[in-house]
């Protein structure tokens, strides 16, 4: 009988890591409390100690638009170091599979056509509002591709759109994903809910548990292609907010301010490759997913 592969997950305390624990319970999950991935000595200790067959790399320094604008050095340095160290050591230690998880914010700020395909990744610079983060995360794709080309490794990366989850950080507004931050504002709103920007930018959102299921499919099916992870829905922030208000039976008026903080106007990506690799995959319905997150949010406040 073939033995089960040893799986190591970085960023194991994050939202995707929490969902993975439900479907890959035998994997080893580590967070920044266990290992400083910006320190290559620590990374060498981590990989040599666990000797994984598969590494799922979720760890990243993340934050909101304002924090990205005010602290670009940290977002670049920390992510570059984490990614570079981990990839380098995985090769040194002969790790068979490395699956990196990126973000659609690494795509060009403005594309020639939408939705953007995987081959459009390097056709322009990321948006200015998270320029350092976007380039640092994009460099992981460059690094994985380089190792595959030069050393024949079978590593890949996934590029998911915006995520939401009941495992998000409900306590720190600077660390919340957009949907959680929006639910937080809705819960605390009176007659009005105040949002940054204009509400016009378009966004794709998926339930983080769906990304976890796709990662498992990648492992089970032996998929080594890199591809976008997104559904077919692409809502404006205003439309998304109104859909959520209706599903939660809330009636505040939406007010927008600071239009300069809109961020990237659109960054929707093509999911044709995903559909070819994992046919008939079913994403969680938006209303159902939002309901799960809101129930968890209400239970913790």
């Amino acid at each position: 009988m073939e033995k089960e592969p040893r799986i190591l997950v970085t960023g194991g305390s994050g939202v995707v890591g929490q969902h993975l624990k439900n479907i890959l319970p035998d994997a080893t999950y580590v967070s920044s409390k266990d290992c400083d991935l910006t320190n290559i000595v620590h990374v060498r200790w981590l990989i040599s100690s666990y000797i994984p067959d598969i590494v799922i790399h979720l760890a990243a320094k993340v934050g909101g638009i304002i924090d990205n604008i005010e602290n670009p050095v940290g977002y670049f340095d920390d992510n570059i170091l984490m990614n570079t160290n981990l990839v380098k050591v995985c090769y040194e230690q002969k790790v068979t599979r490395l699956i990196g998880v990126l973000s659609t914010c690494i795509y060009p700020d403005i594309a020639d056509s939408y939705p953007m395909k995987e081959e459009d990744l390097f056709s322009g610079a990321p948006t200015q509002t998270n320029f350092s983060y976007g380039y640092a995360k994009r460099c992981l794709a460059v690094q994985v591709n380089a190792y595959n080309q030069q050393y024949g490794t079978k590593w890949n990366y996934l590029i998911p759109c915006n995520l939401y989850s009941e495992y998000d950080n409900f306590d720190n507004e600077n660390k919340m994903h957009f949907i959680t931050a929006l639910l937080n504002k809705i819960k605390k709103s009176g007659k009005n809910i105040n949002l940054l920007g204009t509400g016009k930018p378009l966004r794709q959102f998926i339930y983080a548990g769906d990304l976890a299921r796709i990662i498992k499919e990648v492992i089970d099916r032996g998929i080594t292609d890199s591809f976008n992870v997104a559904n077919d829905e692409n809502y404006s922030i205003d439309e998304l907010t109104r859909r959520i208000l209706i599903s939660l039976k809330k009636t505040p008026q939406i007010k927008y301010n600071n239009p300069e903080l809109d961020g990237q106007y659109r960054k929707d990506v093509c999911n044709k490759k995903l559909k070819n690799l994992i046919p008939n995959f079913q994403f969680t319905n938006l209303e159902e997913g939002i309901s799960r997150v809101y129930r968890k949010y209400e239970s913790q406040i």
Side-chain angles (χ1 to χ4, degrees):
M1 182 178 294
E2 187 176 344
K3 70 170 185 176
E4 289 295 317
R6 292 185 298 272
I7 301 175
L8 177 68
V9 182
T10 70
S13 62
V15 294
V16 181
Q18 293 296 318
H19 283 283
L20 274 176
K21 288 177 182 177
N22 296 328
I23 57 177
L24 293 174
D26 295 328
T28 298
Y29 296 84
V30 295
S31 70
S32 57
K33 294 179 180 178
D34 305 301
C35 178
D36 178 7
L37 297 182
T38 67
N39 186 320
I40 196 166
V41 175
H42 292 194
V43 179
R44 286 194 172 109
W45 167 84
L46 177 71
I47 302 301
S48 63
S49 297
Y50 290 101
I51 319 177
D53 301 300
I54 300 171
V55 172
I56 302 170
H57 182 36
L58 304 175
K61 178 180 174 64
V62 297
I65 286 179
I66 294 176
D67 200 39
N68 269 269
I69 293 172
E70 293 178 348
N71 302 289
V73 173
Y75 283 96
F76 187 82
D77 284 359
D78 287 359
N79 285 300
I80 281 286
L81 287 170
M82 283 190 280
N83 297 341
T84 301
N85 290 341
L86 188 71
V87 172
K88 182 178 179 66
V89 174
C90 280
Y91 178 71
E92 291 175 353
Q93 298 291 331
K94 297 179 173 56
V95 172
T96 305
R97 291 292 313 278
L98 170 65
I99 303 169
V101 177
L102 305 179
S103 164
T104 52
C105 71
I106 70 176
Y107 271 98
D109 184 22
I110 301 173
D112 293 332
S113 63
Y114 295 90
M116 292 180 283
K117 300 178 177 65
E118 288 82 1
E119 54 265 32
D120 297 325
L121 180 55
F122 303 104
S123 62
T127 185
Q128 284 295 317
T129 48
N130 57 6
F131 189 81
S132 292
Y133 173 81
Y135 253 128
K137 294 292 282 184
R138 188 189 289 186
C139 282
L140 177 56
V142 175
Q143 194 174 13
V144 167
N145 291 341
Y147 273 77
N148 287 343
Q149 177 184 337
Q150 185 167 340
Y151 298 122
T153 48
K154 301 294 184 182
W155 297 345
N156 64 333
Y157 49 86
L158 308 180
I159 312 175
C161 63
N162 297 66
L163 303 175
Y164 66 93
S165 168
E166 67 269 32
Y167 295 119
D168 200 5
N169 189 324
F170 292 106
D171 301 316
N172 187 339
E173 293 186 9
N174 291 327
K175 298 296 183 181
M176 291 179 181
H177 286 74
F178 176 82
I179 292 289
T180 309
L182 179 58
L183 292 176
N184 184 51
K185 288 187 176 184
I186 291 172
K187 181 66 178 178
K188 295 179 178 179
S189 67
K191 293 183 178 180
N192 299 323
I193 174 174
N194 296 303
L195 302 179
L196 296 176
T198 64
K200 295 178 181 178
L202 303 172
R203 293 291 183 267
Q204 291 168 302
F205 286 90
I206 62 169
Y207 180 59
D210 294 343
L211 176 57
R213 290 193 293 124
I214 285 174
I215 292 172
K216 188 176 187 301
E217 291 278 0
V218 166
I219 294 172
D220 292 346
R221 294 170 181 259
I223 295 171
T224 57
D225 295 73
S226 297
F227 58 93
N228 297 323
V229 179
N231 54 24
D232 295 319
E233 299 170 343
N234 190 31
Y235 299 119
S236 72
I237 296 300
D238 188 73
E239 182 181 3
L240 177 74
T241 303
R242 294 182 188 281
R243 287 176 68 96
I244 292 174
L245 288 172
I246 291 171
S247 68
L248 298 178
K249 298 180 173 57
K250 303 289 184 179
T251 58
Q253 294 296 309
I254 305 171
K255 303 291 183 181
Y256 292 99
N257 53 67
N258 299 104
E260 70 279 3
L261 294 179
D262 252 349
Q264 196 169 1
Y265 174 63
R266 66 182 297 182
K267 57 174 184 171
D268 43 303
V269 294
C270 177
N271 59 15
K272 183 177 180 180
K273 193 172 182 180
L274 163 64
K275 290 179 177 180
N276 288 335
L277 291 167
I278 312 175
N280 303 317
F281 183 85
Q282 296 295 315
F283 284 96
T284 301
N285 174 274
L286 177 67
E287 282 73 20
E288 178 187 346
I290 292 298
S291 178
R292 293 180 193 174
V293 179
Y294 196 69
R295 286 197 301 269
K296 182 69 174 294
Y297 175 70
E298 283 199 310
S299 71
Q300 293 193 6
I301 60 174

